[in-house]
Amino acid sequence: ILILSLSFTSASWLGDFWRKITGNVVNENSITIPLEPGWNLISSNVISSNPSMENVFSSLTNNGNLIMVKDAEGKVYWPRFNTNQLGNFDYKKGYQVNVNNSATLTITGTLAEPSTPIRLKTGWNIISFLPNQEISVENALASIEGKYNLIKDFYGNVYWPQYNTNQIGTLKPGKGYWIDMKEAASLIYPEIVTSPAPINGICGSANGQSFSVAPTTNLCSQGTASSVTTGTNTYTWNCQGSNGGSSASCSATKITS
């Protein structure tokens, strides 16, 4: 079982800000993938600076924890028997990883370009997931719509368009997925358009105070202040949110002689 709990740092192609999601821990230089005893199905959206299987899995082989790494074709990296049929870790592929005990696998290098084409052959493939945040399975596979039968995760959950079945929901970084192709094609993940975070309007320190004339300062601590309306006994205004954020209604007492 592959347990995922992820938060991302900045990537040059998304801008300099923190992004948090459910999955593995990924930053501009590394991804850390927790592994559970037995088989796991993983992928990496980080390109290792030294992609040999021996280097990528060295932390697991040094303590004898790694049993085997296997690809979709049945080729293996099997340290116990000094066997490496895989050569290098290919970030465009997913891998089955078998370990004795719980562990973490950290891959260091550079972040992959999410739109890198992933070539798929007819039949079963194990794909990696290159974006740094989860995407609905329908959107993730839009570039090969109609060219595949189904996609399956490690747990056996499927997305099977022909039968209108979606047990997967979203594809997530750090996970590998089995996909059954009707024909050879190239998978290109869609560009992720990041929406700005909503900002709620918040009343400023003038809210709740008393004034003999309409206040003009400290109306909002966050958001955009509307014009102040003068009533019989109160001054009122709104602090308008942005990017879908809520607005706040504010007021102050009007001092009358």
Side-chain angles (χ1 to χ4, degrees):
I1 298 173
L2 175 61
I3 298 179
L4 301 173
S5 186
L6 249 164
S7 62
F8 281 84
T9 64
S10 62
S12 59
W13 45 272
L14 277 179
D16 297 325
F17 55 86
W18 286 87
R19 189 177 309 287
K20 296 184 179 179
I21 66 174
T22 301
N24 304 301
V25 179
V26 177
N27 58 40
E28 194 170 7
N29 299 307
S30 66
I31 178 173
T32 299
I33 307 171
L35 303 170
E36 283 299 302
W39 286 103
N40 303 261
L41 188 58
I42 72 166
S43 70
S44 172
N45 60 2
V46 172
I47 306 171
S48 175
S49 54
N50 181 353
S52 71
M53 285 289 170
E54 291 82 359
N55 176 70
V56 170
F57 290 96
S58 60
S59 63
L60 302 178
T61 55
N62 290 342
N63 60 17
N65 196 10
L66 179 67
I67 299 174
M68 182 188 301
V69 181
K70 185 165 61 172
D71 70 5
E73 298 176 351
K75 295 179 181 180
V76 300
Y77 169 50
W78 202 345
R80 180 180 177 184
F81 296 100
N82 196 31
T83 299
N84 183 2
Q85 300 170 329
L86 297 173
N88 292 338
F89 189 104
D90 187 345
Y91 70 96
K92 297 185 293 298
K93 294 182 177 180
Y95 293 93
Q96 301 168 90
V97 179
N98 193 0
V99 293
N100 288 305
N101 306 300
S102 297
T104 56
L105 173 65
T106 298
I107 299 176
T108 301
T110 56
L111 282 173
E113 172 57 49
S115 61
T116 300
I118 299 176
R119 294 182 180 179
L120 303 174
K121 65 178 184 178
T122 303
W124 286 102
N125 304 256
I126 305 178
I127 60 172
S128 62
F129 184 70
L130 300 182
N132 81 337
Q133 66 184 73
E134 60 186 81
I135 304 175
S136 70
V137 63
E138 300 95 331
N139 289 338
L141 303 180
S143 65
I144 54 172
E145 183 179 0
K147 298 180 180 180
Y148 63 94
N149 291 308
L150 74 154
I151 183 171
K152 182 170 61 172
D153 69 10
F154 175 73
Y155 306 101
N157 297 312
V158 300
Y159 171 58
W160 204 338
Q162 181 180 352
Y163 296 100
N164 196 31
T165 299
N166 185 358
Q167 300 169 328
I168 292 178
T170 59
L171 302 190
K172 299 177 176 65
K175 289 189 174 184
Y177 297 89
W178 283 98
I179 187 166
D180 182 22
M181 298 296 297
K182 298 177 182 178
E183 59 186 81
S186 290
L187 168 64
I188 300 176
Y189 289 114
E191 180 182 358
I192 299 174
V193 178
T194 304
S195 300
I199 298 174
N200 296 327
I202 301 175
C203 297
S205 59
N207 183 55
Q209 301 299 314
S210 299
F211 300 94
S212 57
V213 295
T216 57
T217 59
N218 301 317
L219 299 177
C220 301
S221 61
Q222 187 167 281
T224 303
S226 66
S227 58
V228 177
T229 300
T230 301
T232 304
N233 298 305
T234 59
Y235 299 109
T236 59
W237 66 95
N238 292 324
C239 293
Q240 299 169 347
S242 59
N243 305 327
S246 61
S247 296
S249 297
C250 316
S251 65
T253 300
K254 177 182 179 182
I255 299 174
T256 56
S257 53

